[in-house]
């Protein structure tokens, strides 16, 4: 008689313990990853009143989250300086996005700021005999959508010139004919009229009062120096229903002064 012995298949207590430990470790590790991704504390980005200048910008990010901000509307003959936590950031330009700022959100609040300077205006700090200061007072800019930097754009800028008058520089950029610039020395009342438009339309409240309202077909931006010497930016990104018309009031004021008698020869 042939006797065949078959060992019974079973799981030892030690094997069960090891399996349970591995399972718990795997679940715990997954929860930690999940927690790190979705439950990390959020921190604030302070845009110093310039949030509407950036696209893809949020008020808060979780620690460890990748932050990517776009600065899309590039004005004519203007140099831009970007700062993250007070340190100058070398933002690179990307087609279709504009200047791009990237960083990983730390476990603290972060400050992001942009400063600009017209590259065609001589800085009096470099030349004490310069005829006027490179101080932007009011800037109206409009461009066709889909042309980052404004392949087709129109811009009018008031600069400080003296206590009696201001300089009005008009920039027109066309993808076919290139760019032109015309300067005018106009009465100081042009600045007063712009300030009245700003006051009457309460531009200083737009960025806080209105949500994202970007329009199709173009972008219009008004920047101005307020009474605290701070640059305020309002645009079609955040505006009331008739906001485009209100922004256009600045253009109407400035266009009145584009006369030959004021033109710089």
């Amino acid at each position: 008689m042939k006797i065949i012995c078959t060992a019974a298949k079973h799981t030892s207590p030690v094997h069960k313990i090891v399996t349970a430990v591995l399972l718990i470790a795997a679940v715990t590790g997954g929860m930690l990853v999940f927690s790190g991704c979705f439950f990390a504390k959020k921190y604030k980005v302070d845009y110093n009143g310039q949030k509407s200048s950036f696209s893809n910008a949020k008020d808060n990010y979780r620690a460890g989250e990748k932050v990517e901000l776009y600065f899309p509307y590039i004005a004519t003959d203007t140099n831009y300086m970007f700062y993250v936590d007070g340190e100058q950031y070398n933002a690179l330009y990307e087609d279709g996005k504009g200047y791009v700022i990237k960083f990983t959100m730390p476990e603290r609040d972060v400050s992001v700021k942009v400063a600009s300077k017209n590259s065609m205006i001589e800085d009096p700090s470099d030349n004490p005999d310069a005829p006027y200061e490179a101080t932007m007072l009011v800037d109206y800019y409009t461009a066709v959508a889909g042309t980052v930097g404004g392949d087709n754009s129109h811009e009018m800028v008031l600069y400080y010139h003296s206590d009696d008058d201001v300089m009005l520089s008009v920039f027109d950029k066309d993808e076919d004919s290139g760019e032109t610039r015309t300067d005018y020395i106009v009465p100081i009342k042009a600045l007063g009229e712009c300030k009245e438009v700003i006051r009457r339309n309460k531009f200083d409240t737009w960025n806080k009062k209105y949500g994202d309202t970007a329009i199709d077909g173009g972008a219009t931006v008004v920047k101005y120096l307020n009474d605290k010497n701070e640059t305020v930016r309002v645009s079609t990104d955040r505006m009331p229903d008739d906001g485009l018309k209100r922004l256009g009031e600045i253009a109407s004021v400035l266009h009145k002064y584009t006369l030959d008698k004021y033109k710089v020869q």
Side-chain angles (χ1 to χ4, degrees):
M1 176 182 297
K2 185 183 291 185
I3 299 176
I4 301 175
C5 295
T6 304
K9 293 182 179 180
H10 65 279
T11 302
S12 69
V14 173
H15 185 270
K16 288 182 178 180
I17 293 173
V18 172
T19 301
V21 169
L22 291 175
L23 180 60
I24 293 172
V27 172
T28 302
M31 291 180 66
L32 288 174
V33 172
F34 182 84
S35 175
C37 293
F38 296 97
F39 296 104
K41 183 178 178 179
K42 283 188 174 183
Y43 292 91
K44 178 183 177 182
V45 175
D46 180 4
Y47 296 95
N48 295 279
Q50 301 172 316
K51 182 184 177 184
S52 62
S53 298
F54 298 93
S55 60
N56 201 42
K58 299 187 295 185
D59 290 327
N60 302 283
Y61 293 86
R62 299 187 188 280
E65 186 176 354
K66 300 296 183 182
V67 180
E68 187 165 326
L69 307 173
Y70 309 138
F71 187 85
Y73 300 117
I74 315 302
T76 304
D77 294 326
T78 303
N79 295 329
Y80 294 93
M81 290 74 70
F82 300 91
Y83 300 88
V84 177
D85 280 345
E87 297 292 330
Q88 189 162 356
Y89 180 93
N90 183 27
L92 299 180
Y93 183 86
E94 293 185 17
D95 290 337
K97 293 182 179 179
Y99 288 108
V100 181
I101 296 175
K102 299 179 182 180
F103 60 90
T104 299
M105 193 67 184
E107 294 183 350
R108 56 177 170 78
D109 294 341
V110 171
S111 171
V112 174
K113 186 176 181 179
V114 58
S116 61
K117 177 181 176 182
N118 190 286
S119 59
M120 298 296 290
I121 303 298
E122 187 172 20
D123 192 332
S125 63
D126 298 328
N127 179 7
D129 297 323
Y132 49 86
E133 296 181 18
T135 301
M136 184 279 295
L137 302 172
V138 179
D139 185 340
Y140 173 88
Y141 173 82
T142 187
V144 176
T147 57
V148 175
D151 288 344
N152 294 279
S153 63
H154 178 65
E155 182 176 19
M156 295 180 288
V157 189
L158 279 184
Y159 297 103
Y160 174 81
H161 184 265
S162 75
D163 293 337
D164 299 318
D165 48 37
V166 287
M167 169 166 277
L168 171 60
S169 296
V170 180
F171 305 90
D172 285 293
K173 186 176 181 181
D174 183 88
E175 57 185 347
D176 296 323
S177 58
E179 181 179 278
T180 62
R181 171 181 174 171
T182 308
D183 292 326
Y184 305 84
I185 303 298
V186 305
I188 193 70
K189 67 178 182 178
L191 175 60
E193 292 177 27
C194 287
K195 286 186 174 181
E196 173 58 24
V197 171
I198 291 167
R199 183 201 62 78
R200 185 176 66 252
N201 289 291
K202 299 180 179 180
F203 283 170
D204 61 315
T205 68
W206 283 21
N207 290 326
K208 293 182 179 180
K209 187 174 182 179
Y210 301 104
D212 294 337
T213 56
I215 62 173
D216 294 329
T220 298
V221 178
V222 168
K223 294 187 292 184
Y224 60 92
L225 200 66
N226 67 13
D227 294 336
K228 297 179 181 179
N229 285 326
E230 300 169 331
T231 300
V232 179
R233 180 187 187 276
V234 291
S235 70
T236 46
D237 291 341
R238 289 176 177 267
M239 64 176 184
D241 291 339
D242 60 346
L244 187 59
K245 179 181 178 181
R246 296 192 194 186
L247 294 171
E249 291 181 28
I250 294 291
S252 297
V253 168
L254 296 179
H255 273 304
K256 292 191 306 180
Y257 293 94
T258 56
L259 304 177
D260 286 341
K261 66 178 181 179
Y262 297 133
K263 186 181 294 186
V264 176
Q265 302 299 327

